[in-house]
Amino acid sequence: MRKQIAAANWKMNLTLQKGEELLNEIIALPHSLNEDQQAIFAVPFPYLAMAHQKMGGYKNVFIAAQNCYNKKSGAYTGETSVEMLQSIGIKFVVLGHSERREYFNESNQFLAEKVNICLENSITPIFCCGEALSVREANSQNEFVTKQLEESLFHLSAEQIQKVVIAYEPIWAIGTGKTATSEQAQEIHAFIRSQFAAKYGAAVAENISVLYGGSVKASNAKELFSQPDVDGGLVGGASLIAAEFVAIINALK
Ligand code: 13P
């Protein structure tokens, strides 16, 4: 059965001290995760070890990196390998966030290589996809997202694809306060699952968690997560406020 996941993406925010404070506040607030639920914190690289040490002991709680490089090791100044992440106990990496695609020119092909190196090293990619406003306005979101999935993921085997978490994040809803309606989210999540079903079969598609991202907050999480194909959220702004993120965890189905 696929997992229901509340994933925090801190992006390039907070200091070490503020990050630690936030995690302490989250721990102190009442929340619960059942067997099929996970909470994941994608924190900046310098805080990975601290966050893993603090949260690693809690059941179904994981720390994620926000990126990794596509090469095993070598002369790539400033980059971080999956082996490095693994050596400090990290099991998840966010890949292909629209901010990385836009500001760092990450292509579908480049992301395919990152997906491969993660899976080869037993790290779960949280693979982001999603369209810009102009694409949505042209009603081409299905074709756009299909191309992202095809070019970065469809070379994987059925066994491998079930180790990937998908995050659908419409760019027009990221940091804008404008959330996709639960109907819009359900529609495209069902479409994404249907693409996996067409490629890998329905049983495999049923095992893949598809998270929604884009202005998820305490006030809309329950409604979004109640949709049958929305398996949780990847949360930016609201994940920086303890009470908000805990409410989002508690909104998981
Ligand atoms: P916001 O929740 O701030 O809209 O960000 C979403 C996001 O990009 C998560 O990766």
Side-chain angles (χ1 to χ4, degrees), residues 2 36 90 114 132 159 185 217 228:
R2 62 182 184 261
D36 301 316
I90 301 304
K114 292 190 181 194
E159 193 192 330
K217 31 189 188 288

Side-chain angles (χ1 to χ4, degrees), residues 9 11 97-99 128 169 173-177 213-216 234-238:
N9 179 5
K11 307 191 180 185
H97 193 281
S98 58
E99 288 148 17
C128 303
E169 301 204 304
I174 295 177
T176 57
S215 299
V216 175
L234 180 57
V235 188

Side-chain angles (χ1 to χ4, degrees), residues 38 40 62-65 85 90-94 123-126 165:
Q38 296 178 339
I40 300 176
F62 301 94
I63 303 303
L85 296 174
I90 301 304
K91 301 265 188 293
F92 290 83
V93 176
V94 176
I123 289 192
T124 300
I126 301 174
V165 171

Side-chain angles (χ1 to χ4, degrees), residues 25-239:
E25 286 176 42
I26 289 171
I27 291 166
L29 287 168
H31 60 277
S32 64
L33 290 164
N34 69 29
E35 270 312 305
D36 301 316
Q37 298 173 335
Q38 296 178 339
I40 300 176
F41 296 85
V43 308
F45 285 119
Y47 316 157
L48 283 170
M50 173 282 289
H52 181 61
Q53 208 161 26
K54 190 175 274 299
M55 307 302 275
Y58 293 95
K59 202 157 176 257
N60 296 336
V61 176
F62 301 94
I63 303 303
Q66 296 177 14
N67 185 27
C68 70
Y69 202 46
N70 65 334
K71 301 282 194 296
K72 195 171 157 28
S73 64
Y76 303 103
T77 303
E79 291 297 334
T80 303
S81 73
V82 287
E83 198 177 84
M84 293 173 186
L85 296 174
Q86 214 178 32
S87 72
I88 59 165
I90 301 304
K91 301 265 188 293
F92 290 83
V93 176
V94 176
L95 290 181
H97 193 281
S98 58
E99 288 148 17
R100 294 218 56 88
R101 293 174 186 268
E102 184 179 349
Y103 307 138
F104 303 97
N105 297 317
E106 295 199 1
S107 66
N108 292 339
Q109 182 49 47
F110 185 51
L111 292 168
E113 292 172 14
K114 292 190 181 194
V115 167
N116 290 346
I117 201 157
C118 282
L119 292 174
E120 281 160 22
N121 290 278
S122 306
I123 289 192
T124 300
I126 301 174
F127 180 84
C128 303
C129 58
E131 80 288 349
L133 183 61
S134 57
V135 174
R136 172 66 63 160
E137 283 173 347
N139 199 27
S140 304
Q141 62 274 11
N142 288 0
E143 292 76 12
F144 186 87
V145 169
T146 298
K147 191 170 154 67
Q148 291 180 319
L149 301 177
E150 273 174 1
E151 294 186 359
S152 297
L153 299 178
F154 277 16
H155 62 284
L156 299 174
S157 68
E159 193 192 330
Q160 287 174 315
I161 196 71
Q162 295 175 78
K163 295 183 177 143
V164 177
V165 171
I166 306 298
Y168 166 71
E169 301 204 304
I171 297 168
W172 47 271
I174 295 177
T176 57
K178 200 171 155 186
T179 318
T181 63
S182 52
E183 293 77 22
Q184 281 174 321
Q186 169 56 24
E187 192 181 355
I188 193 150
H189 280 232
F191 173 76
I192 289 169
R193 200 177 307 286
S194 77
Q195 295 304 100
F196 287 118
K199 170 80 183 162
Y200 296 102
V204 168
E206 280 302 312
N207 280 337
I208 300 174
S209 299
V210 185
L211 316 184
Y212 168 80
S215 299
V216 175
K217 31 189 188 288
S219 59
N220 59 22
K222 196 132 201 134
E223 163 76 16
L224 285 161
F225 300 171
S226 69
Q227 301 301 312
D229 287 291
V230 178
D231 306 312
L234 180 57
V235 188
S239 77

Side-chain angles (χ1 to χ4, degrees), residues 9-23 43-44 46-47 50 239-241:
N9 179 5
W10 288 5
K11 307 191 180 185
M12 197 177 76
N13 289 299
L14 307 174
T15 58
L16 177 70
Q17 293 74 20
K18 294 271 181 217
E20 201 166 358
E21 231 171 81
L22 175 58
L23 293 177
V43 308
Y47 316 157
M50 173 282 289
S239 77
L240 303 173
I241 304 161

